[in-house]
Amino acid sequence: MSYRGHVPLSSGSGKDTSKIGATPLSEHSNKLKSFRIRLYSTIVLIASFSFIIYAGHVPLMGMVLAIQTVMVKELFQLAREAQRERSLPGFRAQQWYFYFVAAFWVYVRFIKNNLIVEITSSAALSRLLGTMIRRHTLISFSLYTGGFVAFVLTLNKGAYTYQFGQFAWTHMILMTVFLPSSFFVSNIFEGIIWFLLPCALVIVNDIAAYLAGFFFGRTPLIKLSPKKTWEGFIGGFVGTLIASWFLSGWMSQSAWLTCPRTDLSIFQPMECTEPPETFQPRDFNAIDILSLFAEHKFIKRVELFRNLLPADVQGWINSIHIHAAPMQFHAIALALFASAIAPFGGFFASGFKRGFNIKDFGHSIPGHGGMTDRMDCQVVMATFSYIYYHAFTDRSAITLGSVLTIALKLKASDQIELFLHMAHILESQGYLPPTTSKAISGIVDDGVELGNTTRYDE
């Protein structure tokens, strides 16, 4: 009988057994090397992510785009058959063309109000990019149509099945990976917390589930992931709920994380000096908590039902008071999804990899596998957090960007009339000199007749 690290002097089989004892040491060395690589890459990722958060909303948007590009590259590569593409020059470029058209449509749509603020700060930028903003959807559709026509014209006899398969594969990636993950871009500009907290909850759930499964795991959860257990799933669920309360309370104290960004500036202070109302702590009773999620009519019915209860029960319910920020209750809802539903994004990815008989989607992150391996649950979480924000917390605040977006839809004559009215209002409030509106009216009267607008550059 040989023990780890012990090499027997002889073997009855006559075979060379000199490597029997070296194998465990070699495996240990490989595991240690893998651990170091994973540790170093994790430190670099955390440091880079922290700096990007400090830099602000625009760098975070760029990070999301970079992550999406790497994910799409991994998935394009997964279904690639190089031997066929040698006879299909430019076919891979078509796939990337559709990706960048989708990115143009989605990103400009999400940051349109912020982009308008930057463009209208300069007359030159307005002339250069104004049409792009006003006709963004039409331009996007025209670009997509151009790619569609190019695809049809490049169909190659003998490769129809492969080409149509790749065309479908490309659109599936855009619909199931790129588009859902793009919702994080909208969340970022509503307040970094709406991006950072959902991401953090997915990570916390992963860690809590791993620890619970490591120490208590006994009962298999799902065949797609044999190492997942019910004990780990439940432990992740409980750990994520607890962490969400304290994480959201801590993040809610920062104006940098909670205030929406209305322009595209970098490293610049936020317009609001303190967190919005959603992040301000106050006292809640049971009805107040319910009102965060339910419609007014439903709240009235609950109050009627409460009044039918015995007096001592009503007194007990009315005595319940919790001092917290509204965001902490919203965080509980996000945590419920992050721990109960988002993991199925990982199970989906596991089944996908089994179908292709691969361990990882790629090797983009040293020691961690591919970018898609790390983002499978985040894609699901991005969609839910976007929908949740607009369903329960969006107050549709009027911003400079939203007003300019509406103003650009007016006729030129109406825009000029709006300009004159604003001059009158600002002059009456003392924000402009007394003669400003008169001077503007004179300039307009000289060059423009309302209803029949004349441009100065003609």
Side-chain angles (χ1 to χ4, degrees):
M1 181 177 183
S2 62
Y3 298 91
R4 178 174 295 184
H6 173 71
V7 182
L9 295 177
S10 62
S11 173
S13 65
K15 296 180 181 180
D16 182 12
T17 59
S18 61
K19 295 183 180 180
I20 292 178
T23 301
L25 291 175
S26 177
E27 290 179 356
H28 177 73
S29 177
N30 290 335
K31 288 182 179 179
L32 188 61
K33 181 180 178 181
S34 176
F35 174 77
R36 284 199 300 265
I37 293 174
R38 193 181 183 96
L39 177 63
Y40 296 153
S41 63
T42 300
I43 293 173
V44 171
L45 287 173
I46 292 175
S48 302
F49 187 56
S50 300
F51 175 77
I52 292 173
I53 291 175
Y54 172 75
H57 304 67
V58 176
L60 273 173
M61 178 183 68
M63 183 195 73
V64 172
L65 180 60
I67 289 173
Q68 290 175 315
T69 303
V70 175
M71 291 171 65
V72 167
K73 179 183 177 182
E74 291 173 351
L75 293 170
F76 280 170
Q77 188 68 27
L78 191 60
R80 183 176 182 179
E81 293 182 27
Q83 67 276 14
R84 292 199 178 187
E85 291 187 6
R86 292 194 186 101
S87 62
L88 299 172
F91 185 73
R92 186 61 50 187
Q94 286 185 10
Q95 289 186 305
W96 283 108
Y97 175 83
F98 283 120
Y99 167 70
F100 286 113
V101 169
F104 172 75
W105 178 69
V106 170
Y107 274 69
V108 174
R109 186 177 182 86
F110 281 148
I111 65 170
K112 189 174 183 179
N113 290 347
N114 308 72
L115 195 58
I116 286 177
V117 173
E118 300 295 336
I119 290 175
T120 54
S121 63
S122 165
L125 280 176
S126 296
R127 284 193 295 269
L128 182 65
L129 301 175
T131 301
M132 182 196 74
I133 295 296
R134 289 191 296 270
R135 302 287 183 262
H136 164 247
T137 302
L138 178 61
I139 293 172
S140 299
F141 178 74
S142 300
L143 290 172
Y144 177 83
T145 302
F148 174 76
V149 171
F151 168 77
V152 174
L153 293 177
T154 55
L155 286 172
N156 195 327
K157 186 177 181 180
Y160 292 152
T161 302
Y162 175 74
Q163 285 182 283
F164 277 106
Q166 290 294 303
F167 184 82
W169 178 259
T170 300
H171 286 70
M172 186 202 74
I173 292 172
L174 296 180
M175 291 298 295
T176 62
V177 176
F178 174 75
L179 182 59
S181 58
S182 296
F183 288 124
F184 267 145
V185 176
S186 176
N187 290 6
I188 287 170
F189 286 93
E190 301 296 348
I192 293 177
I193 190 173
W194 291 105
F195 163 75
L196 185 58
L197 182 62
C199 288
L201 293 178
V202 170
I203 296 171
V204 167
N205 180 72
D206 194 36
I207 295 173
Y210 172 79
L211 293 175
F214 182 83
F215 289 105
F216 309 107
R218 295 290 184 275
T219 312
L221 174 64
I222 187 170
K223 292 181 179 179
L224 286 172
S225 297
K227 294 182 180 180
K228 306 293 185 181
T229 63
W230 273 104
E231 291 81 4
F233 186 80
I234 295 171
F237 185 89
V238 175
T240 307
L241 288 179
I242 296 172
S244 68
W245 182 265
F246 295 101
L247 273 176
S248 58
W250 174 63
M251 292 182 185
S252 294
Q253 301 174 31
S254 170
W256 182 255
L257 297 179
T258 57
C259 291
R261 171 67 75 181
T262 58
D263 55 16
L264 296 177
S265 58
I266 303 175
F267 290 112
Q268 298 299 316
M270 304 299 297
E271 292 181 0
C272 63
T273 56
E274 61 180 20
E277 182 181 352
T278 304
F279 309 96
Q280 296 285 354
R282 58 186 176 90
D283 288 328
F284 282 87
N285 58 33
I287 298 298
D288 292 333
I289 296 172
L290 191 60
S291 66
L292 293 173
F293 308 98
E295 297 290 337
H296 180 70
K297 290 183 179 180
F298 181 78
I299 299 297
K300 288 294 185 183
R301 291 172 183 172
V302 171
E303 290 177 336
L304 289 174
F305 175 76
R306 182 189 59 180
N307 294 335
L308 297 176
L309 297 174
D312 55 340
V313 177
Q314 291 188 43
W316 177 76
I317 293 175
N318 294 333
S319 67
I320 298 175
H321 283 84
I322 301 175
H323 187 75
M327 184 62 194
Q328 290 179 271
F329 296 103
H330 293 306
I332 293 292
L334 293 174
L336 289 172
F337 187 90
S339 54
I341 305 299
F344 282 85
F347 301 151
F348 178 88
S350 295
F352 202 84
K353 287 184 286 188
R354 286 179 179 273
F356 281 86
N357 195 28
I358 58 174
K359 180 181 179 182
D360 297 312
F361 282 103
H363 305 283
S364 306
I365 310 175
H368 291 267
M371 185 67 72
T372 311
D373 296 289
R374 302 279 70 82
M375 297 298 295
D376 44 17
C377 299
Q378 298 287 3
V379 171
V380 181
M381 194 66 193
T383 306
F384 175 73
S385 58
Y386 173 83
I387 294 173
Y388 182 89
Y389 171 81
H390 288 283
F392 293 107
T393 66
D394 182 18
R395 297 294 179 264
S396 299
I398 298 175
T399 64
L400 176 60
S402 62
V403 171
L404 288 172
T405 300
I406 296 173
L408 285 175
K409 296 179 181 179
L410 299 173
K411 295 185 297 183
S413 58
D414 291 331
Q415 291 176 355
I416 293 171
E417 189 170 356
L418 173 64
F419 180 54
L420 289 173
H421 282 287
M422 286 303 304
H424 289 306
I425 293 171
L426 292 173
E427 183 179 315
S428 67
Q429 294 176 346
Y431 292 111
L432 291 177
T435 58
T436 301
S437 59
K438 185 177 180 180
I440 293 175
S441 298
I443 294 172
V444 171
D445 291 340
D446 289 342
V448 178
E449 180 183 348
L450 292 179
N452 186 21
T453 308
T454 303
R455 289 175 49 169
Y456 279 97
D457 58 355
E458 293 180 343

